[in-house]
Amino acid sequence: MNIHEYQAKEILGSYDISVPRGRMTLTADQVERSAKMMGGRCVVKAQIYAGGRGKAGGVQLVHHPEQAHEVAKELFGKRMVTPQTGPEGLKVRRILVEEPVEIAREFYLSVTLDRNSSRFCVIASAEGGVDIEEVAAKSPEKIQVLTIDPFTGLRPYQARRVALGLGLKGDLAEDCVQLILNLYRCALEKDCSLVEINPLVVTKAGWLLALDAKINFDDNAIFRHWEYHDLMDYSQMDPLEISAGKFDLAYIKLEGNIGCMVNGAGLAMATLDVLKEKGGYPANFLDVGGGATREKVSEAFKIILQDRDVRGVFVNIFGGIMRCDVIAQGIIEAASEVHCTLPIVVRMDGSQVEEGKRLLLESGLNVKTADDLGGGAETIMAMLAGNL
Ligand code: GDP
Ligand code: MN
């Protein structure tokens, strides 16, 4: 789960990490008033669930309140496209107005969950700022990675090694040690999969300051942080992902034109692989999980049909806990309700499979059934090509 920069900065602030003074605003008038309060000069920052804003015009230094108003009017409502948003971009509905900072040096610093070692690691680089991806690709030796042993936690001497590795000295190095320890404590206590400060700056006045902040919460731990629900900004999320979340379904948007409904992540991967092997392109996949009910299957099917890229649907379900006739009923219910005429191929196996297939074939829908994965993929391809 994502949150906005201004929210991430509030959390960092609660861990004694310094951030610039700022205000979150919702209108151009509020931006102008905030600029006045800061003495005119300020930084106007579009809040979207993506980075790369600086280069897309989403972070602008302005010199007086009227200019702040103008820039804000331009930004509000605009769909901002950055390398992290995808081609449709994300709509700007909140703007953070901050006091301007004079930068002496920019660093990259993050604590993230390394899925290979199943441990947190600290990542730091003296080449921080907007092009960290390029640094990682071209000169990986300029990036320090410290894996943290969960039993000992992060020790001050380890944090000190990172701080010294950034080239910091004296009090600044000690401040940085505290900051790194606090950042790790934040990642741990708030169940973050990522806490990133890019850039972490040394100001010309000689202070360490988190100029940008990004936090991702681990979705698997949200159940123990009910307060996180209030932090979500649904306007930044795919509406279909939101509906899927309500029914506890995992929906992933992809780029092709075949909607896929599956039960289980492994079956999802296999389905996508086989479709691609047969020359097909999945538009999405929706995992209904092991013990889905008829209602859940029906909601899942409707979500897939709402995806405007979908030209056909491929269902691949193993009826173990879930009976095939129940799955069939869910599909028929949903497809009839929204008057679906798109080609559908249902490959299922398991308990009550014959009854499930009979229900589907007698439903009057544009549906075919299949016995195996490869055959099912070929059938949906043939139907899409108009050959069946
Ligand atoms: P991102 O591009 O989405 O990661 O947005 P950032 O918040 O990191 O801003 C991009 C860049 O704008 C930073 O790397 C800084 O160089 C610059 N920037 C942001 N705030 C300030 C500021 O207060 N003063 C100055 N001089 N530069 C800033
Ligand atoms: Mn940044």
Side-chain angles (χ1 to χ4, degrees), residues 43 45 51-54 59 99-101 103 106 129-130 198-199 211-212:
V43 180
K45 306 187 79 175
R53 297 161 304 164
V59 178
E99 61 177 354
V101 172
I103 303 173
E106 292 190 314
V130 290
N198 186 33
L211 214 56
D212 188 10

Side-chain angles (χ1 to χ4, degrees), residues 5 9 20 41-43 45-46 48 50-56 58-61 82 84 98-103 106 128-131 196 198-199 201 211-213:
E5 173 193 4
K9 281 178 165 163
R41 261 167 62 83
C42 62
V43 180
K45 306 187 79 175
I48 52 171
R53 297 161 304 164
K55 289 189 171 173
V59 178
Q60 293 190 36
L61 177 69
T82 83
Q84 296 182 17
E98 276 187 344
E99 61 177 354
V101 172
E102 293 211 90
I103 303 173
E106 292 190 314
V130 290
D131 291 318
E196 181 184 80
N198 186 33
V201 303
L211 214 56
D212 188 10

Side-chain angles (χ1 to χ4, degrees), residues 80-336:
M80 180 150 288
V81 179
T82 83
Q84 296 182 17
T85 58
E88 350 42 75
L90 285 168
K91 212 173 205 173
V92 180
R93 303 180 67 164
R94 304 178 192 190
I95 285 180
L96 175 63
V97 183
E98 276 187 344
E99 61 177 354
V101 172
E102 293 211 90
I103 303 173
R105 301 179 62 187
E106 292 190 314
F107 304 106
Y108 175 93
L109 179 67
S110 68
V111 174
T112 186
L113 206 53
D114 171 24
R115 292 180 194 278
N116 287 326
S117 60
S118 314
R119 292 176 173 194
F120 275 116
C121 59
V122 177
I123 302 177
S125 175
E127 310 248 326
V130 290
D131 291 318
I132 189 68
E133 286 83 4
E134 211 179 300
V135 178
K138 288 194 182 146
S139 29
E141 75 284 353
K142 290 186 177 156
I143 296 178
Q144 310 180 59
V145 181
L146 169 73
T147 305
I148 302 168
D149 185 323
F151 292 104
T152 58
L154 178 63
R155 311 309 306 162
Y157 79 90
Q158 296 173 305
R160 191 163 296 115
R161 195 179 294 160
V162 173
L164 297 177
L166 291 175
L168 293 169
K169 295 192 173 64
D171 286 347
L172 263 180
E174 279 317 299
D175 287 351
C176 188
V177 170
Q178 267 317 312
L179 189 148
I180 295 170
L181 292 171
N182 289 337
L183 198 66
Y184 172 64
R185 204 158 49 83
C186 170
L188 203 63
E189 290 176 3
K190 298 288 180 188
D191 283 316
C192 304
S193 51
L194 172 72
V195 192
E196 181 184 80
I197 305 178
N198 186 33
L200 170 69
V201 303
V202 177
T203 65
K204 289 205 170 140
W207 300 105
L208 269 179
L209 206 59
L211 214 56
D212 188 10
K214 178 184 165 107
I215 287 184
N216 281 349
F217 296 124
D218 183 342
D219 290 331
N220 297 305
I222 291 181
F223 73 95
R224 44 185 193 199
H225 299 276
W226 288 103
E227 72 278 13
Y228 289 174
H229 289 277
D230 295 334
L231 295 179
M232 276 191 205
D233 178 359
Y234 290 101
S235 77
Q236 299 289 308
M237 294 156 70
D238 181 338
L240 295 185
E241 245 165 71
I242 299 170
S243 332
K246 276 187 203 148
F247 293 94
D248 200 20
L249 302 159
Y251 168 85
I252 307 292
K253 177 72 188 130
L254 300 165
E255 277 156 10
N257 60 2
I258 303 172
C260 299
M261 186 164 89
V262 296
N263 62 340
L267 202 54
M269 296 302 120
T271 306
L272 303 189
D273 283 349
V274 171
L275 255 185
K276 282 222 156 173
E277 197 176 278
K278 305 285 178 196
Y281 289 94
N284 55 43
F285 77 81
L286 213 153
D287 180 359
V288 295
T293 57
R294 189 176 87 183
E295 288 73 22
K296 226 166 149 174
V297 169
S298 168
E299 286 306 326
F301 205 79
K302 278 190 255 177
I303 289 170
I304 286 181
L305 292 177
Q306 278 170 48
D307 180 340
R308 270 184 256 137
D309 296 330
V310 168
R311 295 282 167 272
V313 184
F314 184 24
V315 179
N316 186 21
I317 282 187
F318 184 77
I321 304 170
M322 216 189 316
R323 275 172 24 206
C324 291
D325 56 331
V326 175
I327 298 161
Q329 282 166 356
I331 295 172
I332 295 165
E333 189 179 290
S336 322

